[in-house]
Amino acid sequence: MHPTTLTRRQLLGACAALTLPAFAQSDKPVRLILPISAGSGVDVIARASSVAVGKALGQPLVVENLPGAGGITGASAVAKAAPDGLTLGMVSNNHVINPAVYRKMPFDAITDFTPISVIGATPLVLVAGKGVAAGNVKELVALVKAQPDALNYASSGNGTIIHLAGEMFVEQAGLRVRHIPYKGTGPMVNDLLGGQVQFGVVALPAIQAHIKSGMVKAIGLCGAQRSPAAPEIPTIAEQGLPDYEVEGWFAVVGPARLPAAEVKRVHDAFARGFASPEVVEAMARQGNVIRPTSPEEAARFFRSEAARYAALARKANVVLD
């Protein structure tokens, strides 16, 4: 072979290689960005599963909290990342709620991401501070109605699933109460414990220890059924608000244009990690239901949930700049 021809081929091959996406290497850690604060429900889930998922990936999985703007800050970091499998995100309902509540979005919540799997669901629970003279839905509703506009309910941020879940309760119960938004679940829970706010909706894994210690009172679960992790807590629906039902969910996404082979690799690793005995035990203890979907099912679910929450946001009249 002529030396000049060989060099040309080598150059062409090198140029072609530069255009291909770089795949995750086993000696490099994978960032799992959480667009929420430490201590939230999804944060607890991610940290409980990170070691097992990392083993399944064959790479360290580093959990990184990037809260802000109801999840937009962290999601933006995922959307802007290279599609190489080294940056992933674990998102929740807020990911598909944000387009319905914010006037402007720096990304498209559907097309700028690669859905990998909706891993499962986590129960939400309505709680009240220990100093609140109510222990169930009927008592809380009576207390708030006796003091219109005097009590506060908290959320982890304007336009979040926690906010919408609280708004749904307030609307269906016919209450007049002030909404106090926080920058994340951690600060919200701190003020619930401190008595600065009277009640709010929180993911069960993020508040369960405080419920057991008596620092807060569980008023009612937000889902359609009781949780095996806390079967003693009745649902809000069975306490007189039959149409009330909200469920949290959590999913893994990557940047847009993540190659199909990498999507499969990451999907399978998360499925194996969440099926490991230690993670199964941790999820059951927290009350989470694990049911990993395929990437195709995740894409369809995102679209249907986006439509559902757009209707809820319009009903609650939530519009953010």
Side-chain angles (χ1 to χ4, degrees), residues 2 9 21 41 52 75 84 104 117 119 180 207 225 236 273 296:
H2 195 280
R9 285 180 180 173
D84 56 9
K104 294 181 180 179
S117 181
I119 302 294
I180 308 297
I207 200 72
Q225 298 177 340
I236 293 172
E296 295 77 18

Side-chain angles (χ1 to χ4, degrees), residues 179-191:
H179 169 226
I180 308 297
Y182 288 83
K183 293 183 178 179
T185 299
M188 169 193 172
V189 170
N190 286 339
D191 274 11

Side-chain angles (χ1 to χ4, degrees), residues 46-308:
R47 294 184 187 280
S49 61
S50 61
V51 173
V53 173
K55 287 180 181 178
L57 283 167
Q59 300 167 260
L61 185 68
V62 179
V63 177
E64 181 177 345
N65 298 90
L66 288 178
I72 292 176
T73 301
S76 291
V78 178
K80 293 175 183 176
D84 56 9
L86 292 176
T87 302
L88 304 170
M90 184 172 279
V91 300
S92 62
N93 309 59
N94 295 341
H95 185 71
V96 295
I97 290 172
N98 286 336
V101 299
Y102 283 90
R103 294 183 193 277
K104 294 181 180 179
M105 290 283 291
F107 54 78
D108 188 299
I110 303 296
T111 61
D112 288 340
F113 297 85
T114 299
I116 295 172
S117 181
V118 179
I119 302 294
T122 189
L124 305 178
V125 59
L126 177 67
V127 297
K130 67 176 182 179
V132 176
N136 54 48
V137 168
K138 183 179 179 180
E139 292 173 355
L140 181 60
V141 169
L143 178 69
V144 176
K145 285 188 174 181
Q147 306 174 65
D149 299 319
L151 301 181
N152 303 320
Y153 85 91
S155 81
S156 57
N158 278 316
T160 62
I161 181 58
I162 298 302
H163 177 200
L164 290 182
E167 281 290 330
M168 286 174 61
F169 175 76
V170 168
E171 180 194 19
Q172 291 188 23
L175 306 179
R176 288 169 52 190
V177 62
R178 295 191 298 261
H179 169 226
I180 308 297
Y182 288 83
K183 293 183 178 179
T185 299
M188 169 193 172
V189 170
N190 286 339
D191 274 11
L192 271 168
L193 296 175
Q196 285 84 1
V197 287
Q198 283 68 54
F199 67 96
V201 172
V202 191
L204 181 62
I207 200 72
Q208 195 167 17
H210 296 304
I211 294 172
K212 289 180 178 179
S213 71
M215 293 299 292
V216 295
K217 302 175 185 179
I219 301 298
L221 282 172
C222 299
Q225 298 177 340
R226 295 195 185 199
S227 170
E232 73 282 1
I233 304 176
T235 66
I236 293 172
E238 67 183 275
Q239 295 184 72
L241 295 177
D243 296 329
Y244 188 91
E245 180 186 348
V246 185
E247 182 180 60
W249 51 261
F250 49 100
V252 179
V253 300
R257 299 178 299 282
L258 192 63
E262 191 67 1
V263 172
K264 185 179 188 309
R265 187 183 82 90
V266 173
H267 171 275
D268 292 352
F270 270 87
R272 289 198 304 274
F274 272 86
S276 63
E278 64 271 25
V279 178
V280 168
E281 182 182 352
M283 295 299 105
R285 202 164 50 241
Q286 297 169 8
N288 300 312
V289 178
I290 304 304
R291 49 187 186 224
T293 69
S294 68
E296 295 77 18
E297 289 169 332
R300 290 193 294 270
F301 181 77
F302 276 20
R303 286 185 166 83
S304 67
E305 285 287 275
R308 177 192 178 207

